[in-house]
């Protein structure tokens, strides 16, 4: 499939995801729509998604300095911000679910995996502290009973 800028988007063999060789405005729109549609689940994006976004923004900024309109870039940035927020929310919720059920989310990128692990560790540490606090209360009650 050709985007309006002429960059080719190739479909993978299993047709479940487009592998983006070079991200385009149309590719960003598709990722945005996929992320909105998949409630509670991360949509599949290419492994190099973040580096492709960086390259896209740099290319668009170069085009703007040469006189092209900034409208496309501003729209793309708004959509990307929404994508990041949706994915972030899904990762946070997935971390909480993982601590409860050990169900690991699919389709996380490397940077997202690092965030997920940190959140899980913080939740687990918090739960351990709360558990220890409750155990202290139990020990104190037992000691008071023995002392009476």
């Amino acid at each position: 499939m050709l985007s309006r800028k002429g960059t080719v988007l190739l479909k993978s063999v299993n047709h479940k995801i487009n592998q983006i060789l070079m991200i385009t405005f149309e590719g960003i729109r598709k990722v945005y729509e996929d992320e909105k549609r998949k409630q509670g689940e991360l949509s599949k994006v290419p492994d190099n998604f973040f580096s492709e976004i960086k390259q896209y923004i740099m290319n668009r900024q170069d085009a703007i300095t040469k006189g092209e309109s900034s409208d496309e870039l501003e729209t793309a940035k708004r959509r990307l911000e929404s994508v990041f927020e949706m994915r972030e929310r899904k990762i946070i919720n997935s971390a909480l679910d993982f601590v409860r059920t050990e169900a690991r989310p699919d389709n996380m990128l490397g940077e997202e995996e690092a965030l997920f692990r940190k959140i899980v560790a913080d939740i687990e540490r918090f739960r351990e502290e709360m558990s220890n606090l409750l155990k202290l209360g139990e020990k104190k009650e037992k000691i008071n009973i023995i002392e009476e």
Side-chain angles (χ1 to χ4, degrees), residues 46-76:
D47 291 340
N48 63 345
F49 184 62
F50 293 127
S51 62
E52 286 295 321
I53 289 169
K54 180 180 176 181
Q55 188 62 47
Y56 170 81
I57 291 171
M58 289 172 34
N59 289 345
R60 293 306 311 148
Q61 287 172 335
D62 286 345
I64 291 166
T65 61
K66 294 175 183 170
E68 289 188 28
S69 171
S70 64
D71 293 348
E72 179 182 313
L73 179 58
E74 294 309 313
T75 301

Side-chain angles (χ1 to χ4, degrees), residues 22-128:
M22 186 172 134
I23 200 157
T24 62
F25 183 77
E26 181 62 25
I28 291 169
R29 186 198 60 74
K30 182 183 179 340
V31 168
Y32 172 80
E33 293 299 327
D34 288 350
E35 206 62 56
K36 264 179 53 173
R37 188 176 58 253
K38 288 194 166 209
Q39 296 296 318
E41 181 181 332
L42 293 169
S43 64
K44 179 78 173 142
V45 294
D47 291 340
N48 63 345
F49 184 62
F50 293 127
S51 62
E52 286 295 321
I53 289 169
K54 180 180 176 181
Q55 188 62 47
Y56 170 81
I57 291 171
M58 289 172 34
N59 289 345
R60 293 306 311 148
Q61 287 172 335
D62 286 345
I64 291 166
T65 61
K66 294 175 183 170
E68 289 188 28
S69 171
S70 64
D71 293 348
E72 179 182 313
L73 179 58
E74 294 309 313
T75 301
K77 283 183 175 182
R78 283 192 303 275
R79 285 189 177 168
L80 287 167
E81 186 174 353
S82 292
V83 168
F84 297 154
E85 288 172 358
M86 286 184 276
R87 291 182 73 84
E88 184 178 76
R89 188 177 315 111
K90 291 174 184 181
I91 290 166
I92 291 167
N93 289 335
S94 294
L96 187 56
D97 289 344
F98 178 80
V99 170
R100 293 177 182 158
T101 66
E102 295 189 15
R104 188 167 200 80
D106 293 325
N107 302 325
M108 280 190 291
L109 300 173
E111 297 88 344
E112 294 170 331
E113 178 72 32
L115 173 63
F116 175 80
R117 284 193 308 266
K118 288 176 186 176
I119 295 168
V120 166
D122 285 345
I123 293 170
E124 288 174 338
R125 186 172 35 258
F126 176 78
R127 286 183 173 214
E128 183 67 27

